[in-house]
């Protein structure tokens, strides 16, 4: 089944404790992206990647890192999480930069205390 | 950068009635306008999209219209059903695809039985 898989789906952590949210897609998509969803703010892009070893900042990159060592994986790293990073995070992928549809994962709800 | 405004934030309609959600965008270079539906506990899913060389597109009960002059596009759902209850996001991109999408803040559509 074609899908984007995120882990963990739910996480409660404390300020400053490094964490990684993994994202994997099995559709051989070139483009991958991370979004955060907050009430009243919609979906905001954190980072994106056009292909392996190519990453770039989105609209809200502060406090996050990403890597794209393999085509299928695009982990989101929070080196020192803070409470303002409490959010619902979505990973998404698309076949290519000019192809419209984004395929989203089911989301990872992160709470930073 | 691009700014996408979406209205209303909440819309309640009687089952069987029509629903209309409106979006405006700021960048006249934008040329791709998708609509995503997010059901409770899931990631957003593309339901329909339109490109700037087309004024209207229909798919069964849903349709999207685009007015490039006014920089305005709308989602129309006819004969609403309970399964239409969800959050709907509009988005705009000038790259022609998933890359560079700016999302609206979302509309919570409630279908009253």
């Amino acid at each position: 089944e074609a899908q984007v898989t995120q882990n963990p789906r739910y996480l409660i952590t404390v300020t400053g404790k490094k964490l990684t949210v993994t994202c994997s897609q099995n559709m051989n998509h070139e483009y991958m992206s991370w979004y955060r969803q907050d009430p009243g703010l919609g979906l905001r892009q954190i980072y994106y990647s056009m292909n392996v070893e190519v990453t770039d900042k989105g609209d809200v990159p502060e406090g996050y890192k990403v890597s794209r060592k393999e085509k299928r994986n695009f982990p989101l790293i929070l080196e020192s999480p803070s409470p303002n990073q409490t959010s619902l995070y979505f990973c998404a992928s698309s076949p290519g930069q000019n192809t419209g549809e984004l395929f989203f994962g089911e989301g990872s709800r992160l709470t930073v205390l | 950068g691009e700014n996408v405004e979406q209205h209303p934030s909440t819309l309640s309609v009687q089952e069987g009635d029509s629903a209309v959600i409106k979006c405006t965008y700021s960048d006249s270079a934008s040329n791709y306008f998708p609509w995503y539906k997010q059901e409770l506990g899931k990631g957003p899913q593309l339901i329909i999209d339109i490109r700037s060389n087309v004024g209207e597109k229909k798919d069964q009960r849903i349709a999207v219209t685009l007015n490039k002059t006014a920089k305005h596009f709308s989602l129309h759902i006819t004969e609403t059903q309970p399964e239409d209850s969800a959050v709907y996001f509009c988005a705009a991109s000038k790259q022609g695809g998933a890359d560079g999408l700016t999302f609206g803040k979302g509309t919570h559509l409630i279908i009253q039985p």
Side-chain angles (χ1 to χ4, degrees):
Chain A
E1 182 190 351
Q3 59 186 4
V4 178
T5 304
Q6 299 178 223
N7 280 296
R9 295 288 313 281
Y10 302 92
L11 180 64
I12 300 174
T13 189
V14 295
T15 299
K17 187 175 180 183
K18 180 179 178 180
L19 68 93
T20 299
V21 186
T22 64
C23 174
S24 181
Q25 50 93 5
N26 62 0
M27 296 169 278
N28 200 36
H29 285 172
E30 289 186 353
Y31 181 87
M32 295 186 76
S33 182
W34 276 102
Y35 293 86
R36 61 177 288 173
Q37 183 177 10
D38 301 289
L41 297 178
L43 290 159
R44 295 180 292 166
Q45 190 178 48
I46 303 170
Y47 267 95
Y48 64 96
S49 169
M50 298 285 202
N51 214 324
V52 176
E53 301 292 359
V54 180
T55 64
D56 215 337
K57 296 177 181 178
D59 298 318
V60 288
E62 295 78 20
Y64 305 95
K65 284 174 57 177
V66 292
S67 69
R68 188 93 181 272
K69 293 186 171 58
E70 306 162 283
K71 199 171 188 178
R72 63 183 293 128
N73 296 324
F74 190 45
L76 179 70
I77 303 153
L78 286 73
E79 293 270 6
S80 183
S82 62
N84 64 11
Q85 293 179 297
T86 292
S87 187
L88 178 59
Y89 291 87
F90 287 101
C91 180
S93 71
S94 182
Q97 104 183 59
N98 292 323
T99 306
E101 185 171 2
L102 270 172
F103 295 81
F104 282 86
E106 300 231 300
S108 296
R109 185 166 291 282
L110 171 65
T111 301
V112 184
L113 302 175
Chain B
E2 174 68 278
N3 182 45
V4 177
E5 299 279 346
Q6 183 172 347
H7 299 280
S9 55
T10 304
L11 177 61
S12 182
V13 301
Q14 290 293 126
E15 183 178 347
D17 287 350
S18 295
V20 180
I21 302 170
K22 300 180 179 183
C23 289
T24 59
Y25 60 98
S26 61
D27 192 338
S28 56
S30 288
N31 56 17
Y32 175 67
F33 308 93
W35 286 88
Y36 282 81
K37 176 184 180 182
Q38 184 181 26
E39 296 177 347
L40 194 62
K42 297 194 172 183
Q45 190 169 13
L46 180 71
I47 55 170
I48 196 168
D49 57 9
I50 193 168
R51 297 190 181 272
S52 60
N53 57 347
V54 175
E56 183 174 357
K57 186 176 178 181
K58 229 178 162 180
D59 183 3
Q60 299 181 11
R61 293 187 299 107
I62 61 173
V64 57
T65 58
L66 172 65
N67 182 329
K68 284 191 294 183
T69 304
K71 290 188 279 187
H72 169 276
F73 59 113
S74 299
L75 178 71
H76 304 253
I77 306 174
T78 58
E79 300 171 15
T80 53
Q81 300 169 4
E83 55 264 36
D84 295 329
S85 292
V87 177
Y88 292 81
F89 292 98
C90 64
S93 165
K94 58 183 179 183
Q95 271 87 347
D99 179 31
L101 277 176
T102 298
F103 285 87
K105 290 181 170 44
T107 295
H108 185 193
L109 176 61
I110 301 164
I111 308 301
Q112 303 277 9

